[in-house]
Amino acid sequence: MRAVSIGLGFLLAALLQLAGVTVWPEFALAFDLILVAVVFFARDGRAVAALLVGSAGGLLADALGGGPFGLHGFADTLVAYTTARVAQQLVVERSSGVLLVFTLASTLQQALLAALGLLFLPSVQLPAAPWMVARALSTGVAGLLLAVGQRAATRRLLARRERRRTGWRG
Amino acid sequence: MSSRLGRPLLFLLLGAQLALLTWQVRRTHGTLGLAGEVTLRLTGPVAHAFRGAADRIAEVRLRAQQRRLLASENAALRAEVGELRRERLRLAALAVEADRLAAALAYERAQPLGLRAAEVVFVDHSSRVRSLVIRCGRGARINQAVVAEAGVVGRVIATAGGYARVQLLTDRAASLGAQLEEAGSQGLLRGGPDGQLRLEFVPRQLPVAIGDRVVTAGIDGVFPPGLPVGAVAGVEGGTEVFQTLRVAPAVDFRRLGMVFLVDGPAPPADELVRGGDAGR
């Protein structure tokens, strides 16, 4: 079930990312919805699952970006693992905390991408600083919205189950 | 198990990613490789579909903008057309008024009587007296005759400054001396309740035909002789000696716009121009 939801989440993120790029060419500079999905799924603290999710998400991001494969794969894997490890140590429930986690994850990813690009790619052009800031912030906001939405949906689901349970008893 | 597996798997995956990255960078530039080709084949059509959808959305937005622009332009043009129509109506009304005034002036100049034009303010059929109110400028005097191009209208029964009230011929209390133009027989013309006139005291042996013209006789001291009053519309009762004729008025009192006050002395009947002829 969880694998299906992760797959659907990635598919949705990929479609939205693709749609954004076709509508606005600079969309990929300002948004990384695959990373949002990766961090979102890695927040439950399961390190192995986070590794797999990060790796898959990174490769998907590489595929959408036209390669080279491994660039986002490496960065997103490490970001997902770090997020999972942090989630094991800290319980982040407040909105500001969630915003911070996603923003820091994006910052880490961009730093890793820059480092990998400088190390491995023959000619690399790093995005301008405002775009990097915008991408970090947009990831934070998108992650926060996603987390808030998930919280509300969970609350509604629990309330419905509770109503159904009490109804059966009555 | 998860914690024991986590770190080795991390290094394994990171190593694999780095190896993949290194291997790709060492490949000849310009080739995508199998994975790249598969990815391109998968994402290309999707991106193309998104591009098409985005283009269609932009087109719809453009059309909506154009439609709004056209709608506002259309509204402005409609307002302008409405304004032009109102202007045309105003000009048409002015032309009709000018024609009416020109005809009235021509009639006034053609008459040997001393006529003075007066504007009809309103026709009052509702009050006790069938009358009309006219604006006559210098004023009018009681019992002054009022005529129109078609014939006799009535006489002044009240004055107030530049305004006067004229009792119409069709008022039940109105009467004047009239005669059949062809036969020359005189009688007393009275107003009727149905908006028509009655010519009384016409000798019964006199042959009368429908449509015979009735003119003023000039015996009442108000109206000069020979002014058109109406035409015989039928014969009603009477006595053994006299008959009563129903007379349709020559003037259409509902369409009066301009009338004339008879200022001068009554001239001989043969000098009067027929009302209908002068209008033409």
Side-chain angles (χ1 to χ4, degrees):
Chain A
M1 181 63 188
R2 181 166 171 78
V4 173
S5 65
I6 290 172
L8 286 176
F10 276 145
L11 181 66
L12 183 65
L15 286 175
L16 287 175
Q17 185 79 16
L18 207 55
V21 172
T22 54
V23 173
W24 180 36
E26 277 81 22
F27 185 85
L29 288 173
F31 294 92
D32 187 350
L33 300 180
I34 305 289
L35 179 70
V36 174
V38 165
V39 177
F40 179 76
F41 290 125
R43 276 177 61 237
D44 66 356
R46 282 180 280 192
V48 175
L51 281 171
L52 295 175
V53 163
S55 188
L59 288 173
L60 180 62
D62 284 332
L64 287 176
F69 286 95
L71 191 66
H72 279 85
F74 184 94
D76 287 9
T77 304
L78 201 52
V79 168
Y81 182 75
T82 310
T83 306
R85 296 291 294 175
V86 168
Q88 286 172 359
Q89 307 296 324
L90 301 169
V91 177
V92 182
E93 286 295 329
R94 293 177 63 175
S95 298
S96 56
V98 174
L99 182 74
L100 190 66
V101 166
F102 278 90
T103 306
L104 287 178
S106 177
T107 309
L108 176 62
Q109 184 223 33
Q110 290 187 81
L112 286 168
L113 287 175
L116 287 171
L118 291 171
L119 283 173
F120 288 94
L121 299 181
S123 56
V124 65
Q125 187 178 358
L126 296 176
W131 283 121
M132 296 177 85
V133 173
R135 187 160 157 167
L137 290 177
S138 70
T139 304
V141 172
L144 176 63
L145 291 176
L146 203 57
V148 169
Q150 185 205 24
R151 211 177 297 163
T154 307
R155 203 174 300 143
R156 267 204 301 274
L157 189 68
L158 289 175
R160 194 182 302 168
R161 279 182 186 166
E162 182 64 19
R163 274 201 305 273
R164 202 173 289 173
R165 193 172 60 83
T166 52
W168 286 343
R169 276 181 184 173
Chain B
M1 180 192 167
S2 174
S3 59
R4 276 185 286 142
L5 189 61
R7 199 155 294 178
L9 186 61
L10 169 69
F11 290 125
L12 180 68
L13 283 174
L14 290 181
Q17 306 276 9
L18 282 179
L20 184 63
L21 184 59
T22 313
W23 174 70
Q24 281 184 95
V25 171
R26 285 188 177 177
R27 277 174 62 90
T28 313
H29 294 296
T31 57
L32 288 170
L34 182 62
E37 280 179 22
V38 170
T39 305
L40 190 59
R41 279 180 190 279
L42 288 174
T43 57
V46 178
H48 181 257
F50 278 128
R51 180 77 260 169
D55 287 347
R56 274 196 290 278
I57 290 170
E59 192 180 330
V60 167
R61 280 182 56 195
L62 185 66
R63 281 188 183 171
Q65 280 177 351
Q66 286 176 340
R67 196 171 295 172
R68 278 197 296 274
L69 192 68
L70 284 175
S72 64
E73 197 174 338
N74 194 24
L77 287 174
R78 278 178 188 278
E80 195 175 333
V81 167
E83 185 63 35
L84 288 174
R85 279 184 179 159
R86 282 192 290 277
E87 181 66 17
R88 195 182 65 182
L89 285 175
R90 198 178 65 82
L91 289 175
L94 284 176
V96 169
E97 178 73 8
D99 287 347
R100 195 170 60 84
L101 288 173
L105 192 61
Y107 176 72
E108 186 180 327
R109 283 179 179 164
Q111 286 289 343
L113 294 169
L115 296 184
R116 181 153 51 96
E119 187 184 357
V120 174
V121 178
F122 67 93
V123 181
D124 186 4
H125 285 298
S126 58
S127 68
R128 189 174 47 83
V129 179
R130 285 191 174 188
S131 61
L132 60 86
V133 174
I134 59 172
R135 191 165 71 96
C136 46
R138 292 202 309 270
R141 55 185 163 75
I142 300 295
N143 279 334
Q144 190 168 10
V146 178
V147 299
E149 291 174 45
V152 176
V153 173
R155 60 178 179 157
V156 175
I157 56 170
T159 61
Y163 293 88
R165 182 176 288 275
V166 178
Q167 181 191 39
L168 299 179
L169 276 185
T170 50
D171 183 61
R172 294 181 71 171
S175 63
L176 63 90
Q179 63 181 30
L180 289 162
E181 190 179 38
E182 292 297 323
S185 176
Q186 294 184 348
L188 183 65
L189 191 82
R190 294 179 187 276
D194 52 357
Q196 293 211 330
L197 309 168
R198 302 288 185 278
L199 183 60
E200 298 172 347
F201 306 113
V202 177
R204 194 165 280 280
Q205 71 274 16
L206 201 70
V208 177
I210 303 295
D212 280 356
R213 283 165 61 97
V214 178
V215 297
T216 51
I219 55 174
D220 50 21
V222 175
F223 296 98
L227 290 172
V229 172
V232 175
V235 180
E236 291 185 346
T239 62
E240 287 185 5
V241 182
F242 299 107
Q243 59 184 337
T244 299
L245 304 179
R246 188 154 43 86
V247 178
V251 175
D252 185 356
F253 296 102
R254 291 167 305 179
R255 293 170 183 262
L256 282 175
M258 185 71 73
V259 295
F260 303 93
L261 288 159
V262 180
D263 275 337
D270 54 352
E271 287 185 15
L272 287 171
V273 177
R274 304 286 180 230
D277 299 338
R280 295 180 201 115

